[in-house]
Amino acid sequence: MISVIVPIYKVEEYIRRCVDSILAQTYTDFELLLVDDGSPDKCPEICDEYARRDPRVKVIHKPNGGLISARNEGIRAAQGDYICYVDGDDWAAEGMLQFVHDTLAASPVPLDMVLFAADNVYEDHLEETVNNVPEGYYDRARMEKEIFPKLIVDSKNGLNTGCIQAHTWDKACRRELQLQCYTRDERIRVFTDVPMTYECLLNCQHIYVSNQHLYYYNKTNEGSIRAKSKENLLTKSFYYLTTYMQEHMRGVVPSIDRQLNEFPASLIVRTAKFRVRNESSFREAVKRLKEGLKESEMLSLVSAKGLPRGPKLLITLLKMHLYTPAMLLCAAKVRKDAE
């Protein structure tokens, strides 16, 4: 059996489409766990309505604790051999669970994880999101050679996003592995998929990667946590995220320690560029970055040593409290990228 976990908070406008897409799956041997994270709208009543209509639906009502807290409640309650996730404002293709089941059944070895692809849904178009590795089966040796060296950060061309999407919702993971690797620090409120996804992958022995599009990721919900993430740049939550990753993933495979330093550096670089592009003035951009670095304490978690040339210089300047020169460097990079 497959368990499907849907964390729910303030998605009244979208929740019926989400749940209906799961109940309409061509594969039917699943349980659906609707985790109401203290939602203040009508979502709790809607969840209970579905539970009365379909015995596969189970509802968990809990005080608001954030996305990680809601997922954790679902993981602990799940009974399936594998767990899938659907966010409350997204929806699943009707063949998603069938694909997961058939892939597991056809595998010559027991799989720890099945990865697939998704479509980002905008108002007027779709954009695909895929994993940047070849499709197929991966044993531990192949993962260590082809995936782990660029799992979190691909540093060959700057500090680019790693080769595997960090989302929880485009994967099916063995429940026992999730119980071993679920994120314990519920204070993390940014990039909430990242720690569990990557820790699980680092502990996998066999996975299957597909670029079949089986999930619809709603990019039109301006009220979602992910849509508002730009308002929460370099808060204390980033510190919790980074320290958690370093504590739980350091030393698992040789190439990961480097990436655990590059990851917070990439967040600082990304934030600096965002400030340059979006603040009302350069002075305001410098001020806001300085405030974020102070609040998040992120610089204490990063070493300039071993970083690519541009990020290395930026981090070095920031560690010397030379914020204006650092932001001038960043502004020059932003202009160059725009050309």
Side-chain angles (χ1 to χ4, degrees):
M1 186 175 70
I2 298 172
S3 296
V4 182
I5 297 174
V6 180
I8 296 169
Y9 185 75
K10 294 177 70 172
V11 288
E12 181 181 342
E13 180 182 352
Y14 308 98
I15 187 61
R16 291 187 185 277
R17 178 179 62 188
C18 172
V19 175
D20 288 343
S21 76
I22 300 167
L23 296 180
Q25 291 289 300
T26 55
Y27 179 78
T28 59
D29 187 19
F30 64 86
E31 65 170 358
L32 173 55
L33 299 170
L34 303 178
V35 185
D36 161 35
D37 190 32
S39 188
D41 53 13
K42 293 183 180 179
C43 283
E45 291 88 346
I46 295 172
C47 291
D48 290 338
E49 174 191 328
Y50 276 104
R52 290 191 294 269
R53 287 165 41 187
D54 194 311
R56 295 173 297 179
V57 179
K58 301 176 183 177
V59 180
I60 299 171
H61 296 291
K62 61 180 290 296
N64 179 250
L67 188 53
I68 288 178
S69 173
R71 285 192 187 126
N72 289 350
E73 286 284 347
I75 292 169
R76 290 189 287 264
Q79 299 296 311
D81 299 307
Y82 289 81
I83 295 176
C84 292
Y85 297 89
V86 180
D87 284 352
D89 49 355
D90 299 339
W91 67 100
E94 67 177 5
M96 184 181 81
L97 296 185
Q98 189 70 57
F99 174 83
V100 170
H101 170 267
D102 292 351
T103 301
L104 293 169
S107 174
V109 294
L111 295 174
D112 295 304
M113 193 179 290
V114 176
L115 298 80
F116 44 90
D119 284 319
N120 295 328
V121 182
Y122 294 87
E123 291 287 355
D124 57 354
H125 70 285
L126 302 177
E127 291 181 2
E128 65 177 18
T129 173
V130 298
N131 295 294
N132 295 316
V133 295
E135 295 182 280
Y137 291 98
Y138 288 76
D139 61 12
R140 182 71 182 187
R142 188 181 179 191
M143 283 188 283
E144 291 183 353
K145 180 180 179 181
E146 299 182 30
I147 293 180
F148 292 162
K150 52 183 180 180
L151 174 64
I152 303 173
V153 180
D154 185 351
S155 59
K156 287 188 176 181
N157 298 301
L159 294 178
N160 294 329
T161 303
C163 63
I164 297 293
Q165 300 285 341
H167 314 128
T168 57
W169 38 254
D170 55 3
K171 300 169 181 68
C173 186
R174 187 167 54 83
R175 178 171 61 91
E176 293 302 320
L177 181 59
Q178 293 263 280
L179 287 170
Q180 173 188 337
C181 298
Y182 74 87
T183 305
R184 267 64 174 181
D185 191 344
E186 297 179 355
R187 297 173 299 175
I188 299 170
R189 298 299 179 99
V190 292
F191 297 117
T192 52
D193 296 13
V194 169
M196 183 171 69
T197 295
Y198 289 145
E199 187 177 358
C200 282
L201 277 165
L202 288 170
N203 284 278
C204 284
Q205 298 299 316
H206 298 92
I207 67 173
Y208 182 79
V209 178
S210 169
N211 280 329
Q212 185 166 337
H213 294 217
L214 298 167
Y215 189 94
Y216 294 101
Y217 178 53
N218 180 15
K219 301 283 282 187
T220 66
N221 181 11
E222 292 300 322
S224 70
I225 291 174
R226 60 198 178 221
K228 293 184 176 180
S229 62
K230 64 184 180 183
E231 300 172 5
N232 301 302
L233 296 171
L234 293 185
T235 63
K236 194 67 174 183
S237 188
F238 280 96
Y239 181 86
Y240 301 143
L241 169 67
T242 303
T243 53
Y244 186 91
M245 292 173 65
Q246 292 179 346
E247 178 183 351
H248 288 262
M249 302 179 204
R250 182 179 284 128
V252 177
V253 295
S255 60
I256 288 299
D257 289 1
R258 168 185 55 79
Q259 295 174 66
L260 291 174
N261 182 60
E262 293 171 344
F263 178 69
S266 71
L267 297 179
I268 294 172
V269 171
R270 182 186 307 181
T271 300
K273 289 181 177 179
F274 177 87
R275 293 302 183 199
V276 166
R277 294 190 188 103
N278 293 279
E279 297 303 337
S280 58
S281 67
F282 179 78
R283 177 177 293 183
E284 185 67 16
V286 173
K287 176 185 175 183
R288 295 294 298 277
L289 180 70
K290 184 177 179 180
E291 291 172 348
L293 289 171
K294 181 179 180 180
E295 179 183 350
S296 66
E297 302 179 69
M298 288 287 283
L299 281 174
S300 67
L301 305 176
V302 179
S303 170
K305 184 179 180 181
L307 294 176
R309 182 178 177 182
K312 180 177 182 178
L313 180 55
L314 178 68
I315 297 298
T316 300
L317 290 171
L318 291 173
K319 280 181 170 288
M320 296 171 65
H321 306 292
L322 298 174
Y323 300 104
T324 298
M327 291 297 276
L328 286 170
L329 178 70
C330 189
K333 176 61 174 172
V334 168
R335 287 194 298 271
K336 182 178 179 181
D337 291 343
E339 292 177 354

